[in-house]
């Protein structure tokens, strides 16, 4: 067979960076209601339990509904419609939406070919809603999410989402707002500096730990830093856009005004290497690309535990995700000897 390929192959994509305390709040809600990951997060499981126990009765009820119906995802989708300057601006926007348009925005985006079905579902077409559910069978929560959106009155969901975000801001975010804002801004500056000297693919790899190659239909990659969900990267997509909510780097957590504060990159690297299980995993990955299933079997540990160790290795830039497998980033150890010597004030000698 002779094939003449006249198709357009996208060679790259545009990377955009954006940070907001409102996204940090929405991701905090997502984190606290995802109990199965609490053991693998930077903050211990006890932190999440104490946080859950400390909230008001009204917020507790909202969180229970969120955990059951994954409404944190609806919040994130709405937040992508506009760069909201405040939670109140977001609340006003939600209540200004016509009901069917609101439902369209909170229904999950699947792919461009399903947008007409998504629109019909938002207008109350039950057959379209069933078709949308069939199209995402196998997804861990999209079918249930679609049923929640199409089976509830729009005002019920509007009240739930706006109250959930407002209460979370008042009871949780407010106390740490200035500190979190500083961390997010420092990380955003670092990533913007990377964009000046690295390719879009390299920036995504350094930020999210994912080797994301250009693909048809995606012209933009949106990188949004977070503190609360560390060390996890959360992936999502919208029309023509791939989204990575990525964990801020170790370097962003501390202001650089202390000569005796080690560089965050060094802390992150040696923390990643300072564990025998992670070193074993790294050696296995350095030999050849490995899947999560393969690593779980070779290391003799549970899937969640292995995923936690891999997230730390990814955060340090030691491994990356490549076509569903983990591969060693061989250049990740370059210059760290020089960085350590520079911090210690000791002259570095080339080998």
């Amino acid at each position: 067979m002779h094939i003449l390929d006249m198709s357009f192959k996208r060679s790259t994509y545009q990377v955009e960076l954006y940070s907001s305390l409102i996204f940090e709040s929405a991701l905090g809600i997502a984190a606290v209601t995802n109990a199965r990951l609490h053991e693998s997060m930077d903050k211990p499981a006890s932190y999440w339990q104490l946080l859950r126990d400390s909230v008001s009765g009204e917020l507790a009820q909202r969180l229970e509904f969120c955990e059951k119906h994954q409404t944190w995802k609806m919040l994130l989708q709405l937040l992508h419609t506009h760069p909201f300057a405040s939670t109140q601006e977001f609340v006003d926007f939600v209540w200004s939406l016509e009901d069917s348009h609101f439902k369209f925005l909170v229904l999950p985006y699947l792919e461009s070919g399903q947008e007409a079905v998504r629109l019909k579902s938002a207008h109350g077409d039950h057959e379209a809603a069933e078709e949308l559910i069939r199209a995402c069978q196998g997804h861990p929560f999209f079918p249930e999410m679609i049923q929640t959106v199409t089976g509830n009155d729009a005002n019920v969901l509007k009240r739930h989402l706006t109250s959930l975000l407002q209460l979370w801001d008042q009871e949780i975010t407010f106390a740490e707002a200035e500190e979190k804002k500083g961390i997010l801004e420092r990380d955003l500056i670092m990533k913007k500096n990377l964009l000046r000297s690295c390719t879009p693919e390299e920036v995504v790899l350094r930020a999210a730990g994912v080797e994301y190659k250009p693909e048809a239909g995606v012209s933009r990659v949106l990188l949004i830093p977070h503190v609360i969900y560390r060390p996890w990267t959360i992936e999502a997509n919208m029309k023509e856009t791939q989204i990575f909510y990525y964990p801020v780097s170790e370097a962003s957590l501390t202001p650089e005004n202390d000569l005796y504060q080690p560089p965050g990159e060094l802390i992150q690297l040696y923390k990643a290497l300072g564990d025998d299980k992670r070193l074993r995993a790294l050696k296995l990955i350095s030999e050849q690309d490995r899947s999560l299933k393969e690593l779980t079997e070779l290391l003799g540990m549970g899937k969640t535990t292995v995923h936690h160790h891999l997230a730390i290795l990814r955060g340090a830039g030691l491994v990356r995700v490549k076509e569903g497998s983990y591969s060693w980033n061989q250049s990740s150890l370059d210059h760290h000897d020089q960085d350590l010597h520079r911090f210690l004030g000791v002259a570095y000698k080339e080998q």
Side-chain angles (χ1 to χ4, degrees):
M1 179 184 292
H2 300 284
I3 297 175
L4 181 61
D5 189 353
M6 302 292 286
S7 63
F8 172 72
K9 303 292 191 299
R10 189 177 295 280
S11 59
T12 189
Y13 42 74
Q14 178 183 355
V15 170
E16 295 181 16
L17 292 147
Y18 181 74
S19 75
S20 165
L21 281 176
I22 306 179
F23 273 106
E24 181 72 11
S25 291
L27 290 166
I29 292 167
V32 77
T33 55
N34 195 352
R36 70 185 182 85
L37 292 185
H38 289 173
E39 293 288 348
S40 63
M41 291 182 179
D42 273 12
K43 293 184 181 297
S46 58
Y47 166 85
W48 299 106
Q49 187 58 55
L50 285 171
L51 188 151
R52 197 74 181 255
D53 292 342
S54 70
V55 302
S56 65
E58 185 178 359
L59 179 52
Q61 289 179 354
R62 301 294 183 192
L63 289 172
E64 286 175 12
F65 187 87
C66 175
E67 186 169 10
K68 182 177 180 180
H69 301 290
Q70 310 295 328
T71 57
W72 58 269
K73 174 63 173 169
M74 301 180 198
L75 268 180
L76 287 173
Q77 291 183 183
L78 287 167
L79 287 173
H80 282 292
T81 60
H82 184 75
F84 299 102
S86 67
T87 298
Q88 188 57 53
E89 184 181 345
F90 170 78
V91 170
D92 293 341
F93 168 79
V94 169
W95 283 107
S96 73
L97 290 171
E98 190 270 327
D99 287 355
S100 60
H101 185 47
F102 165 79
K103 288 198 170 188
F104 176 77
L105 292 175
V106 297
L107 281 168
Y109 172 82
L110 303 184
E111 57 183 356
S112 58
Q114 293 289 339
E115 285 296 82
V117 181
R118 182 183 174 206
L119 185 60
K120 289 180 180 178
S121 301
H123 280 85
D125 187 322
H126 296 297
E127 290 185 4
E130 290 300 321
E131 184 178 343
L132 203 62
I133 289 171
R134 287 194 297 272
C136 61
Q137 284 298 331
H139 189 278
F141 61 83
F142 275 5
E144 164 65 24
M145 184 176 164
I146 294 167
Q147 290 177 339
T148 299
V149 175
T150 57
N152 279 280
D153 181 78
N155 285 336
V156 171
L157 292 176
K158 287 180 182 180
R159 189 173 300 108
H160 163 74
L161 293 172
T162 54
S163 297
L164 176 62
L165 189 61
Q166 285 178 312
L167 289 166
W168 183 271
D169 271 4
Q170 294 165 10
E171 298 183 28
I172 307 299
T173 302
F174 180 77
E176 302 177 324
E178 288 306 310
E179 180 186 6
K180 290 279 186 73
K181 185 179 178 182
I183 293 171
L184 296 172
E185 288 177 350
R186 284 195 294 273
D187 198 87
L188 209 62
I189 290 170
M190 291 179 186
K191 300 306 184 292
K192 285 180 178 178
N193 289 336
L194 275 180
L195 268 177
R196 297 189 182 100
S197 58
C198 299
T199 66
E201 291 85 351
E202 288 172 329
V203 174
V204 172
L205 176 60
R206 295 276 292 274
V210 175
E211 188 171 355
Y212 182 69
K213 295 182 178 180
E215 58 180 318
V218 177
S219 60
R220 181 176 75 135
V221 170
L222 183 58
L223 296 176
I224 299 178
H226 67 77
V227 182
I228 193 69
Y229 224 122
R230 279 171 41 98
W232 288 86
T233 292
I234 302 102
E235 296 187 40
N237 61 326
M238 301 186 303
K239 188 175 182 180
E240 299 183 354
T241 302
Q242 180 71 20
I243 306 165
F244 295 100
Y245 307 99
Y246 71 89
V248 298
S249 69
E250 200 80 26
S252 305
L253 296 176
T254 309
E256 295 181 0
N257 55 8
D258 183 354
L259 292 175
Y260 292 90
Q261 174 63 36
E265 290 88 349
L266 279 181
I267 296 173
Q268 202 162 12
L269 175 72
Y270 290 118
K271 176 183 177 182
L273 295 174
D275 181 277
D276 64 318
K277 298 179 181 64
R278 286 196 284 277
L279 281 173
R280 287 174 60 202
L282 185 60
K283 181 167 177 58
L284 288 166
I285 295 168
S286 71
E287 294 170 348
Q288 65 182 68
D289 292 0
R290 307 276 189 178
S291 67
L292 177 60
K293 182 176 184 296
E294 188 178 2
L295 287 166
T296 299
E297 293 171 353
L298 290 169
L299 293 169
M301 293 186 289
K303 181 179 177 181
T304 302
T305 302
V306 173
H307 207 301
H308 170 64
H309 288 303
L310 291 170
I312 292 173
L313 290 171
R314 283 173 61 190
L318 292 163
V319 302
R320 54 191 176 189
V321 178
K322 183 180 179 182
E323 298 176 354
S325 295
Y326 292 87
S327 64
W328 180 37
N329 180 14
Q330 295 190 35
S331 65
S332 59
L333 297 178
D334 295 350
H335 311 303
H336 281 299
D337 278 350
Q338 293 151 309
D339 293 342
L340 180 59
H341 280 75
R342 191 179 299 114
F343 169 65
L344 297 175
V346 177
Y348 177 75
K349 295 181 180 179
E350 295 282 353
Q351 297 296 318

